[in-house]
Amino acid sequence: MSDQTRTLPRWIDIGLIPLINVAMALVVSGVIILAIGENPIDAVVIMLHGALGYEEGVGYTLYYATNFIFTGLAVAMAFHAGLFNIGGEGQAYIGGLGVGLAMLGLDHVLPMGLLIPIAILMAAAGGALWALIPAYLQAYRGSHVVITTIMFNFIASALMVYLMVHVLIEPGQQSPESREFAANAQLPFIYQVLGWFGIPMAKSPANLSLVWALICCVGVWFYIWRTKWGYELRAVGFNERAAIYGGVRPARVIILTMCLSGALAGFVGLNEIMGVQHKLLLDFTAGYGFTGIAVSLMGRNHPLGIILASLLFGVLYQGGADLAFDVPNITREMVVAIQGLIILFSGALAYMSTPWITRLYFRLHDGATPSDPPKPAHEEA
Amino acid sequence: MADFFLLAVLTLDATLRVSTPLIFCAMAGIFSERSGIIDISLEGKMLMSAFVAAAIAAVTGSPWLALAGAVAAACAMALLHGFACITHKGNQVVSGVAINILASGLTAVLGNAWFQRGGQTPTLDASSRFMPITLPMADTLGQIPIIGTIYKHAISGHNGFVYLGFAVVPLTWWILFRTRFGLRLRAVGENPQAVDTAGLSVTALRYRAVLMCGVLTGLAGAYISIAQNAVFVRDMTAGQGYIALAAMIFGKWRPFHALGACLMFGLLDAVAIRLQGVHLPGIGEVPVQFIQALPYILTVVLLAGFIGKAVAPKAIGTPYVKER
């Protein structure tokens, strides 16, 4: 029997293989830590303690995870339609700009109850706007969304530097930052909310945007798998020609999907600007847009997987900060290197392990050895 | 008037210096993408080789060893890209993004671990770098007005890499359009099935193209850290790999057109520095950020087809699968 007709059980395809990919990335990271003369096991212990061992650390882990959920969902949303959105960084930047402008203009006028929905709308609008132009160009002018979103990251960065240095800087201030928002334009921190219910928790930047992130996960799941638009989106991603035959208009789907993707990335601005920084400033996106690619690949483009991957990246970021503090030889950029490895192994080399796992599985299963490696199962979570 | 002329010549001089890494990288990109492999990772390869060059130069004091190391490092990254994209048929964009992020993290981590200077290498002295070359009789000929000034300030006194960069462009053109290898390389980027049917190995051709890309990005990286500068600093390539990518697209995947785009982007960069705080008649002060963003904006406009159509090689981005 040809192996082409045999498929691996689902738990191997969506459970084991992603785990093996991540494990390979972590093993290579361990080798790098060994190469610079440190003990990888000790490093893991310090990281886990730093991220999960005390309340403040957990709070930081959740705060980072919030950003990764937003950018991970953004990448995944586009991925299902066959689009690769590398522009999360720029979209998050402009989303944050939207939040910042709204808060600077309205924080002395409106109460918090109105400011929160306005901020959500502005973050979504900013991110969507920054994704709209690459989407339009891809849909109607044939330019590739990957290249245009890369270019738009740089354009966003230049635009923000210009605005912060020349327009929005607080008069008399040296560093390019806006004034701080009034208290009613600051999202409550989780420890404050728990405090209202009499539950004490250590101070940390985790804030209410985490709740919004989880709502977005449910929303994205519902949209992609339970609505007509989601069906059209997946149809375009799976086979654009067949989708056209089925009456779907790909240009519209591309624009709608990229705008939603951009809106999700824009919510990073909600967490960072309204939740933590409480003012507009430069470089608050700090590479979260790119991390979203790793999160989405690791989470197999499924909201549940993205939550898990975001938590792991939250642990890496917060634990990495503690590690850099404890072991001067290892800097925070170790996390960036690990992120690169995860993208490499979970994305570009995703099916490297499939052939030998298939062989091993069928040998164990019925003693038969498939003659040559099977076609990788199409990723569908 | 004379002042203005000298200013123009000095701007030209600066343009050539900042264009050089762009030229190497754009040619590297042309080799890779003409063979059908998207290369987002020019930036990462250049960064990695810049770091390796500076690290080896700091330790051994030999610029030639450093150059060899830089080229080897970039080739290793190129082979990794090839392994993922050609052998394992992975997503080329994802692989490129992974290499860029990996290079950014790894150079900072290794730099800090090896030199304990927060990711920087020690500053290199003249003997462990490539220094500018003064062309013969630059001072004597420099006395001649206009032509002499151009010769002395803009043509002479550059680093060997700058001249090499300009030599690489016709060489790239010659290899691509006048050799059998070039013909096959272009064919594999347009129609790999046909090349395969002709009995040539798609895999071998694409690996060779990716390696050429590695060699050229290695030269670009070495230029940045041990010729143009005397130190490696974290993320010192600062997006130049992406600008080169933009220049390559702007040049529509052709060597001389890409050279033109590199020079234009280099000129923008050189002008941006001089325009800082200058009021132009009728326009007012042009924000430096706008000029910095111009290459990206122009590329988007070009890709949208508003100033001519940029047509990529046909088979770009699709892994070759036999028997389909």
Side-chain angles (χ1 to χ4, degrees), chain A residues 280-344:
Chain A
L280 255 181
L281 70 177
L282 288 176
D283 294 329
F284 61 85
T285 49
Y288 298 130
F290 295 115
T291 314
I293 299 168
V295 168
S296 170
L297 288 169
M298 222 173 123
R300 280 284 182 112
N301 304 315
H302 192 281
L304 198 62
I306 286 168
I307 292 176
L308 294 174
S310 296
L311 285 174
L312 183 103
F313 264 100
V315 168
L316 282 176
Y317 263 67
Q318 166 53 17
D322 265 30
L323 184 63
F325 188 75
D326 281 1
V327 186
N329 222 1
I330 303 178
T331 51
R332 286 198 73 161
E333 284 78 22
M334 188 65 217
V335 178
V336 179
I338 295 176
Q339 189 178 319
L341 289 167
I342 288 180
I343 297 178
L344 188 69

Side-chain angles (χ1 to χ4, degrees), chain B residues 75-90:
Chain B
C75 283
M77 305 287 270
L79 284 176
L80 181 63
H81 190 50
F83 181 67
C85 304
I86 306 170
T87 306
H88 283 288
K89 304 177 175 37

Side-chain angles (χ1 to χ4, degrees), chain A residues 144-305:
Chain A
H144 205 285
V145 85
V146 167
I147 303 291
T148 33
T149 48
I150 291 178
M151 302 299 152
F152 265 69
N153 284 341
F154 286 101
I155 299 172
S157 169
L159 178 69
M160 281 299 284
V161 172
Y162 173 74
L163 288 178
M164 293 312 303
V165 171
H166 294 285
V167 184
L168 296 169
I169 188 169
E170 190 185 1
Q173 178 105 14
Q174 283 300 310
S175 59
E177 295 177 351
S178 75
R179 68 170 172 83
E180 191 162 314
F181 307 148
N184 55 331
Q186 305 181 356
L187 269 183
F189 289 109
I190 300 270
Y191 74 85
Q192 290 172 325
V193 177
L194 290 178
W196 298 335
F197 296 103
I199 307 167
M201 193 194 168
K203 278 189 178 187
S204 75
N207 58 73
L208 273 190
S209 49
L210 174 62
V211 178
W212 179 243
L214 296 175
I215 294 172
C216 284
C217 283
V218 178
V220 166
W221 172 81
F222 188 81
Y223 180 84
I224 293 181
W225 282 282
R226 288 291 178 272
T227 65
K228 173 175 162 268
W229 304 297
Y231 172 76
E232 294 188 347
L233 181 160
R234 285 180 295 136
V236 169
F238 206 75
N239 187 336
E240 196 173 316
R241 277 188 177 175
I244 297 170
Y245 188 68
V248 178
R249 283 152 67 185
R252 265 182 42 188
V253 174
I254 288 170
I255 288 184
L256 186 59
T257 306
M258 279 300 286
C259 285
L260 287 173
S261 171
L264 287 164
F267 291 141
V268 168
L270 192 70
N271 187 28
E272 286 291 327
I273 297 301
M274 196 184 185
V276 180
Q277 310 287 357
H278 304 148
K279 57 187 161 193
L280 255 181
L281 70 177
L282 288 176
D283 294 329
F284 61 85
T285 49
Y288 298 130
F290 295 115
T291 314
I293 299 168
V295 168
S296 170
L297 288 169
M298 222 173 123
R300 280 284 182 112
N301 304 315
H302 192 281
L304 198 62

Side-chain angles (χ1 to χ4, degrees), chain B residues 115-132:
Chain B
F115 302 105
Q116 265 98 31
R117 288 163 189 251
Q120 279 196 18
T121 60
T123 309
L124 303 167
D125 53 26
S127 66
S128 48
R129 290 174 60 203
F130 288 104
M131 300 305 283

Side-chain angles (χ1 to χ4, degrees), chain B residues 171-189:
Chain B
L171 186 68
T172 304
W173 176 84
W174 184 76
I175 293 176
L176 277 179
F177 297 99
R178 286 293 177 272
T179 66
R180 185 184 299 192
F181 168 67
L183 177 71
R184 290 172 174 174
L185 190 143
R186 283 181 295 133
V188 100

